[in-house]
Amino acid sequence: LISSVTGLRVSEVGTGFLSMGGNKGGCAARFDLFGFKFAAVACHLAAHEKNVDRRNQDFREVVRRAVFEDESGTPNGFNSDTSEQPSV
């Protein structure tokens, strides 16, 4: 399966202290598998039920600020291949 993954790009985004701290944030990956495009986000965000709105805001921020460099070093976001906006 791993040999069928192409175009792997990763990004990390801090959302903690001053929106940059290392204690909260997420990492994102874009890749192609068998010709289909995939994206995944993993986050470590604020705990507890009272922080649901903050977690949702931070997740959207991770998706918005994730940057993936292509082979030439040109930065791209989640939607560099399409005009569609991500569903978050």
Side-chain angles (χ1 to χ4, degrees), residues 4-79:
S4 300
V5 174
T6 60
L8 177 63
R9 301 287 180 265
V10 295
S11 179
E12 56 186 64
V13 176
T15 62
F17 182 69
L18 298 176
S19 294
M20 299 170 18
N23 63 327
K24 303 294 180 197
C27 59
R30 289 180 59 179
F31 59 93
D32 296 334
L33 179 64
F34 301 118
F36 293 96
K37 295 186 181 306
F38 289 88
V41 177
C43 297
H44 177 72
L45 304 174
H48 307 294
E49 189 173 338
K50 66 182 180 182
N51 292 320
V52 170
D53 290 337
R54 178 61 193 213
R55 278 195 301 277
N56 290 339
Q57 176 185 344
D58 286 348
F59 177 79
R60 287 183 188 94
E61 188 71 6
V62 169
V63 171
R64 186 183 71 78
R65 291 178 38 215
V67 176
F68 308 95
E69 291 186 0
D70 63 18
E71 295 84 4
S72 68
T74 302
N76 296 298
F78 267 106
N79 300 312

